[in-house]
Amino acid sequence: MTLNTKQRLPTDEINEGPGAMQSLILKLESTLSAPSLAQIYEWLETTHVSTEELQPYLGFKEGNYWRHRVCRNEFVEMLVLCWRPGQRTPIHDHNGSHGGVKICQGVLWETTFTFDSVAGLEYSGARELKAGSLTGSDVPDIHQLGNPDISGQDLITLHVYAPPLGVLHTYKPGSAKIDLYVPDETEQLV
Ligand SMILES: [Fe+2]
């Protein structure tokens, strides 16, 4: 999902250089309620995290993308996801959470869908996002994210969700069946 300018908060000062990641972590840890999607977009848009600061959260594996949690409290969480070419999420919604995604390195493919309880899941559209871009999902957006198999490069993305993700709903094209999906919590580096 793309926010239009009316939905965005006034841009705060740019948060970059050494400590940018830590500064964002402190903002998330000091929040006293679930931040709005506009607030999450503003934080991600104005924060430029260096490869050095991402380093503790980087790690790839074969077969599936790898999630690394940076921080989490009852209102919000932040994750770094690492994707080899061809790795992708299931088609999913966020079961009541909203969130923003910033592309730190590589190319992200995002595919969006609509759901009707009778017609089932239908393809809506797709787009490609490059490093520095933002995307995200409001409730009840349904999407699939991934690193294109033909990208020839790894993908690193920074995710902020409010409230933290729990059990997600997954979908299949042409089907009205909704399944449950729990992102693997056993594979965090931190
Ligand atoms: Fe998602």
Side-chain angles (χ1 to χ4, degrees):
M1 190 193 99
T2 304
L3 286 184
N4 62 42
T5 49
K6 282 185 182 169
Q7 291 172 295
R8 294 187 181 206
L9 297 176
T11 300
D12 205 350
E13 61 185 53
I14 300 297
N15 173 25
E16 61 186 343
M21 180 85 153
Q22 194 57 38
S23 171
L24 180 55
I25 292 170
L26 289 174
K27 284 177 185 170
L28 298 182
E29 288 181 337
S30 62
T31 190
L32 299 175
S33 61
S36 67
L37 185 55
Q39 176 66 77
I40 291 172
Y41 264 80
E42 191 215 358
W43 283 334
L44 288 173
E45 188 167 42
T46 57
T47 301
H48 303 313
V49 179
S50 67
T51 307
E52 288 72 26
E53 280 197 285
L54 285 171
Q55 202 62 44
Y57 311 103
L58 300 186
F60 296 83
K61 60 180 179 176
E62 303 310 315
N64 202 5
Y65 61 99
W66 204 348
R67 310 168 83 245
H68 308 285
R69 178 163 300 118
V70 178
C71 60
R72 175 179 177 144
N73 60 27
E74 68 179 294
F75 304 117
V76 65
E77 71 173 339
M78 181 159 64
L79 303 147
V80 173
L81 270 61
C82 299
W83 323 63
R84 295 288 194 208
Q87 295 180 341
R88 67 188 73 177
T89 66
I91 301 170
H92 64 278
D93 69 22
H94 303 85
N95 197 10
S97 294
H98 55 246
V101 180
K102 185 164 192 175
I103 294 83
C104 302
Q105 176 189 307
V107 175
L108 176 82
W109 263 353
E110 178 181 38
T111 311
T112 54
F113 301 84
T114 58
F115 182 79
D116 177 272
S117 58
V118 176
L121 188 76
E122 292 186 359
Y123 176 86
S124 174
R127 63 185 180 137
E128 175 183 305
L129 294 141
K130 297 201 167 131
S133 304
L134 284 177
T135 185
S137 52
D138 206 345
V139 178
D141 292 353
I142 301 171
H143 71 174
Q144 180 181 50
L145 303 180
N147 183 355
D149 53 359
I150 51 173
S151 72
Q153 59 187 316
D154 292 331
L155 167 67
I156 301 168
T157 49
L158 184 63
H159 301 240
V160 175
Y161 295 105
L165 295 182
V167 178
L168 307 184
H169 296 138
T170 61
Y171 301 82
K172 288 195 169 56
S175 170
K177 187 166 182 285
I178 302 174
D179 288 316
L180 301 178
Y181 167 67
V182 181
D184 196 334
E185 298 288 341
T186 64
E187 296 169 337
Q188 299 160 35
L189 288 182
V190 291

